[in-house]
Coordinates of all heavy atoms in Angstrom, one line a residue:
T1 N 98.9 83.2 250.8 CA 98.0 82.4 250.0 C 97.7 83.1 248.7 O 97.4 84.3 248.7 CB 96.7 82.1 250.8 OG1 97.1 81.5 252.1 CG2 95.8 81.2 250.1
P2 N 97.6 82.3 247.6 CA 97.2 82.9 246.3 C 95.8 83.5 246.5 O 95.0 83.0 247.2 CB 97.3 81.8 245.4 CG 98.1 80.7 246.0 CD 98.0 80.9 247.5
A3 N 95.6 84.5 245.7 CA 94.3 85.2 245.7 C 93.2 84.1 245.3 O 93.4 83.4 244.3 CB 94.3 86.4 244.7
A4 N 92.1 84.1 246.0 CA 91.0 83.2 245.7 C 90.1 83.7 244.7 O 89.7 84.9 244.8 CB 90.3 82.8 247.0
P5 N 89.7 82.9 243.7 CA 88.7 83.4 242.7 C 87.3 83.3 243.3 O 87.1 82.8 244.4 CB 88.9 82.4 241.6 CG 89.3 81.1 242.2 CD 90.2 81.5 243.4
G6 N 86.3 83.8 242.6 CA 85.0 83.7 243.1 C 84.4 85.0 243.7 O 85.1 85.9 244.0
Q7 N 83.1 84.9 244.0 CA 82.4 86.0 244.6 C 82.8 86.1 246.1 O 83.3 85.2 246.7 CB 80.9 85.8 244.5 CG 80.5 85.7 243.0 CD 79.0 85.4 242.9 OE1 78.2 85.4 243.9 NE2 78.5 85.1 241.7
R8 N 82.5 87.2 246.7 CA 82.8 87.5 248.1 C 82.3 86.4 249.0 O 83.0 86.0 249.9 CB 82.3 88.9 248.5 CG 82.6 89.3 249.9 CD 83.9 89.9 250.0 NE 84.1 90.4 251.4 CZ 85.1 90.1 252.1 NH1 86.1 89.4 251.6 NH2 85.2 90.6 253.3
W9 N 81.0 86.0 248.8 CA 80.4 85.0 249.7 C 81.2 83.7 249.6 O 81.3 82.9 250.6 CB 78.9 84.8 249.4 CG 78.6 84.1 248.1 CD1 78.4 84.6 246.9 CD2 78.5 82.7 247.9 NE1 78.1 83.7 246.0 CE2 78.2 82.4 246.5 CE3 78.7 81.6 248.7 CZ2 78.1 81.2 246.0 CZ3 78.5 80.3 248.2 CH2 78.2 80.1 246.8
Q10 N 81.7 83.3 248.4 CA 82.5 82.1 248.2 C 83.8 82.2 248.9 O 84.2 81.2 249.6 CB 82.7 81.8 246.7 CG 81.5 81.5 245.9 CD 81.7 81.4 244.4 OE1 82.5 82.2 243.9 NE2 81.1 80.5 243.8
Q11 N 84.4 83.3 248.9 CA 85.7 83.5 249.6 C 85.5 83.5 251.1 O 86.3 82.9 251.8 CB 86.3 84.9 249.2 CG 86.7 84.9 247.7 CD 87.2 86.3 247.3 OE1 87.2 87.2 248.0 NE2 87.5 86.4 246.0
L12 N 84.4 84.0 251.6 CA 84.1 84.0 253.0 C 83.8 82.5 253.4 O 84.2 82.1 254.5 CB 82.9 84.9 253.4 CG 83.2 86.4 253.3 CD1 82.0 87.2 253.5 CD2 84.3 86.8 254.3
A13 N 83.0 81.8 252.6 CA 82.7 80.4 252.9 C 84.0 79.6 252.9 O 84.2 78.7 253.8 CB 81.7 79.9 251.9
A14 N 84.9 79.8 252.0 CA 86.1 79.1 251.9 C 87.0 79.4 253.2 O 87.6 78.5 253.8 CB 86.9 79.4 250.7
R15 N 87.0 80.6 253.6 CA 87.8 81.0 254.7 C 87.2 80.4 256.0 O 88.0 79.8 256.8 CB 87.8 82.6 254.9 CG 88.7 83.0 256.0 CD 88.9 84.5 256.1 NE 89.7 84.9 254.9 CZ 89.4 86.0 254.1 NH1 88.3 86.7 254.4 NH2 90.1 86.3 253.0
A16 N 85.9 80.3 256.1 CA 85.3 79.7 257.3 C 85.6 78.2 257.3 O 85.8 77.6 258.3 CB 83.8 80.0 257.3
A17 N 85.5 77.6 256.1 CA 85.8 76.1 256.0 C 87.2 75.8 256.4 O 87.5 74.9 257.1 CB 85.5 75.6 254.6
H18 N 88.1 76.7 255.9 CA 89.5 76.5 256.3 C 89.8 76.7 257.8 O 90.6 75.9 258.4 CB 90.5 77.4 255.4 CG 90.6 76.9 254.0 ND1 90.0 77.6 253.0 CD2 91.2 75.9 253.5 CE1 90.3 76.9 251.9 NE2 91.0 75.9 252.2
L19 N 89.1 77.7 258.4 CA 89.3 77.9 259.8 C 88.8 76.6 260.6 O 89.4 76.2 261.5 CB 88.5 79.1 260.3 CG 89.2 80.4 259.9 CD1 88.3 81.6 260.3 CD2 90.5 80.6 260.7
A20 N 87.6 76.1 260.1 CA 87.1 74.9 260.7 C 88.0 73.7 260.6 O 88.2 72.9 261.5 CB 85.7 74.6 260.1
L21 N 88.6 73.6 259.4 CA 89.5 72.5 259.2 C 90.7 72.6 260.1 O 91.1 71.6 260.8 CB 90.0 72.5 257.7 CG 89.1 71.9 256.7 CD1 89.6 72.2 255.3 CD2 89.0 70.4 256.9
Y22 N 91.3 73.8 260.2 CA 92.5 73.9 261.1 C 92.1 73.7 262.6 O 92.8 73.0 263.3 CB 93.1 75.3 260.9 CG 94.0 75.3 259.7 CD1 93.7 76.0 258.5 CD2 95.3 74.7 259.8 CE1 94.5 76.0 257.4 CE2 96.1 74.8 258.7 CZ 95.7 75.4 257.5 OH 96.6 75.4 256.4
A23 N 91.0 74.2 263.0 CA 90.5 74.0 264.4 C 90.3 72.5 264.7 O 90.8 72.0 265.7 CB 89.2 74.8 264.6
L24 N 89.7 71.8 263.8 CA 89.5 70.4 264.0 C 90.7 69.6 263.8 O 90.9 68.6 264.6 CB 88.4 69.9 263.0 CG 87.0 70.4 263.3 CD1 86.0 70.2 262.1 CD2 86.4 69.7 264.6
M25 N 91.6 70.0 262.9 CA 92.9 69.2 262.8 C 93.8 69.4 264.1 O 94.6 68.5 264.3 CB 93.7 69.7 261.6 CG 93.1 69.3 260.3 SD 94.1 69.6 258.8 CE 94.2 71.4 258.8
I26 N 93.5 70.4 264.8 CA 94.2 70.6 266.1 C 93.4 69.9 267.2 O 94.0 69.1 268.0 CB 94.4 72.1 266.5 CG1 95.4 72.7 265.5 CG2 94.9 72.3 267.9 CD1 95.5 74.2 265.5
A27 N 92.1 70.1 267.3 CA 91.3 69.6 268.4 C 91.2 68.1 268.4 O 91.3 67.5 269.5 CB 89.8 70.1 268.2
V28 N 91.1 67.4 267.3 CA 90.9 65.9 267.3 C 92.1 65.3 267.9 O 92.0 64.4 268.8 CB 90.6 65.4 265.8 CG1 90.7 63.9 265.8 CG2 89.3 65.9 265.3
P29 N 93.4 65.5 267.5 CA 94.5 64.8 268.2 C 94.7 65.3 269.6 O 95.1 64.5 270.4 CB 95.7 65.2 267.3 CG 95.3 66.3 266.4 CD 93.8 66.3 266.3

């Protein structure tokens, strides 16, 4: 993945959101 811009907290929030997205994209179907 390309390097994410922003502060550390933004990068951690983005990572958490992406993990949630992937978990839900698997769990729902």
Side-chain angles (χ1 to χ4, degrees):
T1 302
Q7 299 176 11
R8 179 87 174 128
W9 71 267
Q10 291 172 322
Q11 294 172 2
L12 291 173
R15 186 170 294 135
H18 284 108
L19 285 173
L21 280 169
Y22 279 104
L24 289 165
M25 287 188 296
I26 292 169
V28 172

